[in-house]
Amino acid sequence: MLSLPSDLRGAFKQPFGPVYTDATALLSDAGRPVIAVGDVVTYHLRAAGHHPAVSVIDGRTEREAVDAEIRQALSDPDNRLNVQNDPGTLEEPLLTALADTVTTAGGDADPVTIVVDGEEDLAPLPAVLVAPVGATVVYGQPGEGMVRVAVTPASRSEMRSLLERMSGDVAGALAALGIDG
């Protein structure tokens, strides 16, 4: 549906929010619900006692398989959705899964894990777009830590601008997210 053009890759090198190395400190600053993107991020948030409302994992970190401890900790069988999403893309199954789970996340809803066959690296963009204002999206910044993105009108605008600069069917991607084009 959408792919990341090479001239846009640099826009993703800088974190979209503050970087944390302590999950407890991050959680004390985070709004709810918390949406986690990445296996290591999800693992650290759970180890700190918080099960994110929605987690997006792919069994990899920095292009390598996660270690057995993380894989085991994230292997709970309940409330899992399996989707396909090729590296460097945002495909309809992932976008639809995010729209369906994030918009109902929090409160009394059970946590959901979206398991991606492929890669989840670009999922923070659509997660911010569909999360309620006041929520938090957390993703990993390689070699640095966990990035906390507060969902605000400004962060949504920034993520939408990046999504609209991607190659492919932007209108279809926005429609899959339930967002007016």
Side-chain angles (χ1 to χ4, degrees), residues 97-149:
L98 282 167
D100 291 346
T101 59
V102 171
T103 56
T104 60
D108 293 333
D110 288 334
V112 175
T113 301
I114 299 171
V115 181
V116 177
D117 180 11
E119 185 177 275
E120 36 70 330
D121 290 9
L122 297 175
L125 268 73
V128 169
L129 291 175
V130 297
V133 169
T136 298
V137 174
V138 182
Y139 69 92
Q141 186 74 13
E144 294 185 44
M146 299 170 284
V147 179
R148 179 183 58 84
V149 181

Side-chain angles (χ1 to χ4, degrees), residues 70-81:
I70 292 173
R71 187 172 45 258
Q72 179 62 33
L74 302 181
S75 67
D76 46 0
D78 295 333
N79 294 322
R80 293 171 80 83
L81 295 172

Side-chain angles (χ1 to χ4, degrees), residues 2-73:
L2 293 175
S3 63
L4 184 64
S6 58
D7 66 328
L8 193 56
R9 291 187 192 280
F12 293 88
K13 298 286 186 212
Q14 293 299 314
F16 295 115
V19 179
Y20 293 75
T21 56
D22 181 322
T24 302
L26 184 151
L27 287 165
S28 72
D29 293 341
R32 300 295 191 269
V34 173
I35 295 94
V37 178
D39 297 69
V40 175
V41 166
T42 300
Y43 173 79
H44 285 296
L45 293 176
R46 287 184 182 186
H50 183 78
H51 209 103
V54 177
S55 301
V56 185
I57 62 174
D58 64 6
R60 305 185 76 69
T61 184
E62 298 187 41
R63 309 261 192 260
E64 300 292 329
V66 295
D67 65 36
E69 178 183 354
I70 292 173
R71 187 172 45 258
Q72 179 62 33

